[in-house]
Amino acid sequence: MNATHQYLFDAARAARLGDPPPPAPGTHDLAVLRAARDRRRFARVLAGRPARGGLRTALSRAVLFGAVLFGAALFGASRSGPSRPAPAPAPCRRPAD
């Protein structure tokens, strides 16, 4: 049973009992996400860290850590030196009919 099925059961039960119908699935999703974001920001302030920019800082730190860990391979260069050009493909020959 998914959220839509449960909503339909609850709406039918509410109609039978004369209660107001429940909110549709997904109605309060944005409010929940905003509350979670605000809670994270508040926790950061209490810990003495900046309230904004934590995700960008963490991602840049991860990219720099990856560059140090794996060398410049993340950015397209290889450790073995300059790469050789790819050999030219063999000419395509059609089979005789």
Side-chain angles (χ1 to χ4, degrees):
M1 178 183 318
N2 61 21
T4 304
H5 291 132
Q6 185 64 47
Y7 169 72
L8 292 174
F9 284 133
D10 291 341
R13 183 182 314 121
R16 190 177 67 240
L17 297 175
D19 294 337
T27 302
H28 301 293
D29 287 354
L30 288 178
V32 169
L33 291 175
R34 284 187 192 112
R37 180 194 61 199
D38 292 344
R39 174 79 176 173
R40 269 195 319 272
R41 285 183 180 173
F42 183 67
R44 289 180 64 85
V45 168
L46 289 180
R49 297 188 307 263
R52 297 181 59 103
L55 179 63
R56 182 175 292 158
T57 303
L59 288 175
S60 66
R61 193 177 307 128
V63 168
L64 290 176
F65 179 72
V68 169
L69 190 63
F70 299 112
L74 290 176
F75 302 105
S78 71
R79 293 179 139 190
S80 63
S83 61
R84 298 181 190 150
C92 181
R93 297 183 182 168
R94 294 182 59 191
D97 290 329

